[in-house]
Amino acid sequence: MFCRIVAGEIPATIVKRTDGALAFKDLSPQAPTHLLVIPTTHVGSLNDAKDGKMLGDLLSFAREVAREAGIATKGYRVVLNTNPDGGQTVFHLHLHVLGGRAMQWPPG
Ligand code: AMP
């Protein structure tokens, strides 16, 4: 489904795009700022990711997105759910970037 967002076939509020990555607002935000960061090529989950550089670039991109969203200084959380026990429901690799409130630990 996230491939269809990359292709512009379903709407999303896109906040930043590069050749390899896209950031857009989560439809069901769990914090005042809740963005999703995805690779523009299809990778199902972290388990399927073969390209370490792509993973590093995605993390750097998430950091930039957090800075530009104004949440970097106070702090934010990057979450990568993997497979059902990890809470993954959409099988296109994505980082959640959450901020704008204090996070709790441990996660559920
Ligand atoms: P996960 O449970 O880690 O796989 O996260 C999937 C996330 O995608 C959830 O937070 C959903 O709210 C979000 N989501 C699902 N469909 C869309 C969509 N079309 N646009 C934006 N966010 C979406």
Side-chain angles (χ1 to χ4, degrees):
M1 179 223 291
F2 288 169
C3 281
R4 299 188 65 205
I5 291 178
V6 174
E9 291 167 8
I10 57 173
T13 306
I14 292 171
V15 299
K16 193 174 177 74
R17 181 191 279 271
T18 64
D19 273 354
L22 186 67
F24 55 97
K25 291 189 177 177
D26 196 292
L27 262 190
S28 174
Q30 302 301 313
T33 298
H34 186 173
L35 303 171
L36 298 175
V37 166
I38 64 169
T40 53
T41 52
H42 185 78
V43 178
S45 79
L46 183 60
N47 287 343
D48 303 317
K50 308 281 184 253
D51 182 349
K53 180 176 183 307
M54 180 276 286
L55 288 173
D57 288 349
L58 209 60
L59 203 51
S60 295
F61 183 70
R63 180 177 60 183
E64 262 178 63
V65 162
R67 187 169 40 75
E68 289 172 16
I71 57 175
T73 301
K74 285 192 85 175
Y76 59 98
R77 182 170 290 174
V78 176
V79 173
L80 203 179
N81 297 328
T82 302
N83 279 353
D85 274 8
Q88 184 174 10
T89 59
V90 175
F91 288 84
H92 182 129
L93 178 68
H94 52 280
L95 305 178
H96 296 257
V97 177
L98 297 142
R101 65 168 171 84
M103 299 293 148
Q104 294 174 352
W105 195 261

